Amino acid sequence: MSTNTHNTIVITGANRGIGYSMAKICQQRGDIVYALCRQSSKDLDALGVNVVEKIDIATQAGIEKAVSSLSGISIDLLINNAGILRDEQLSDLNKDTIIEQFNVNALAPLCLSQALLANLSSGSKIGLITSRMGSVTDNTSGGRYGYRMSKAALNIASVSLARDLSNENIAVGIYHPGYVQTEMVNCDGVLRNGDISANVAAERLLALMDNLTMADSGVFKHSNGETLPW
């Protein structure tokens, strides 16, 4: 895929943060964008992309609506970006929020990708936005049980997806965006936490997806291009 070629790109969680920034960049470079989200935003509505609302990919109804809305559309790049972050510590475990993160962060991207396989063909790509917090090797601080566990599950699911789709010539990219200034890591809406902006993260991620080949399908990468440990 080249930025000089117009592509059809589907992005989940596109109403804000990295998802919105990726949708904006893709729209500006001439791609056909389908922005999936539970609820749109004023900024997303103003982009002029194809907004598909009421898509909760953690539910079967949400998956079915996404499939219906994209019926007959050939997808060049499916970006599984939607995710949630909760905070459990050893002294305050919450099974409900852990399960919630598994459903949204790990199962939903896998189920959506499987449900949209009919829209993909040889040369199509799947991008999965994960986190280095799902790395066992990189875990030096503990905590964040649900988020870490769900992203580790997403990582292994992504590798299996890469292996299973190799004969179809569909490449799978697995990406840590970096520590990004988004509402996810700044719950009060003030973007004080994060090393890079959502726009910078989006630019880096799209560059990696543009250059993704079967040779690096299933590789876990930082948005800066570094290969990360499992």
Side-chain angles (χ1 to χ4, degrees):
M1 183 188 304
S2 166
T3 54
N4 296 320
T5 302
H6 296 175
N7 293 285
T8 298
I9 299 177
V10 175
I11 306 170
T12 66
N15 60 322
R16 66 179 189 178
I18 298 171
Y20 166 76
S21 292
M22 287 192 290
K24 183 177 181 180
I25 292 169
C26 291
Q27 188 275 338
Q28 289 175 341
R29 71 188 195 183
D31 294 319
I32 300 169
V33 179
Y34 288 85
L36 277 53
C37 55
R38 286 181 295 176
Q39 181 176 353
S40 189
S41 61
K42 183 169 66 174
D43 288 339
L44 181 59
D45 287 338
L47 277 188
V49 299
N50 302 290
V51 178
V52 186
E53 286 190 280
K54 297 182 180 178
I55 302 292
D56 183 351
I57 57 169
T59 67
Q60 185 58 33
I63 296 285
E64 290 174 358
K65 181 170 183 181
V67 170
S68 175
S69 299
L70 297 166
S71 178
I73 294 169
S74 296
I75 300 172
D76 296 298
L77 173 60
L78 169 61
I79 304 176
N80 289 281
N81 165 73
I84 59 172
L85 169 66
R86 304 291 184 254
D87 185 15
E88 304 87 17
Q89 303 300 323
L90 187 57
S91 60
D92 184 27
L93 286 181
N94 184 326
K95 286 178 65 177
D96 290 337
T97 58
I98 292 174
I99 292 169
E100 178 190 23
Q101 288 170 98
F102 260 102
N103 284 333
V104 176
N105 296 345
L107 279 176
L110 174 62
C111 291
L112 181 64
S113 298
Q114 190 274 338
L116 291 175
L117 284 179
N119 300 74
L120 306 176
S121 58
S122 177
S124 295
K125 303 177 184 183
I126 298 175
L128 297 122
I129 309 304
T130 180
S131 172
R132 71 188 306 164
M133 288 183 72
S135 166
V136 176
T137 303
D138 192 65
N139 185 355
T140 59
S141 59
R144 296 281 190 186
Y145 282 85
Y147 192 73
R148 289 187 185 279
M149 292 164 68
S150 66
K151 290 299 188 179
L154 175 60
N155 287 351
I156 194 62
S158 302
V159 173
S160 284
L161 197 60
R163 303 294 179 261
D164 289 339
L165 294 177
S166 61
N167 288 337
E168 308 298 324
N169 195 40
I170 296 173
V172 177
I174 310 167
Y175 305 111
H176 167 63
Y179 187 28
V180 186
Q181 297 158 356
T182 64
E183 293 180 30
M184 177 181 281
V185 298
N186 296 274
C187 298
D188 58 4
V190 180
L191 304 185
R192 67 174 68 87
N193 296 324
D195 297 330
I196 58 174
S197 69
N199 284 336
V200 170
E203 289 172 355
R204 290 178 176 179
L205 290 166
L206 287 170
L208 288 174
M209 293 179 211
D210 287 342
N211 293 310
L212 175 64
T213 67
M214 294 303 299
D216 55 351
S217 183
V219 178
F220 185 19
K221 289 191 174 183
H222 192 294
S223 67
N224 65 13
E226 174 189 358
T227 297
L228 295 172
W230 297 113

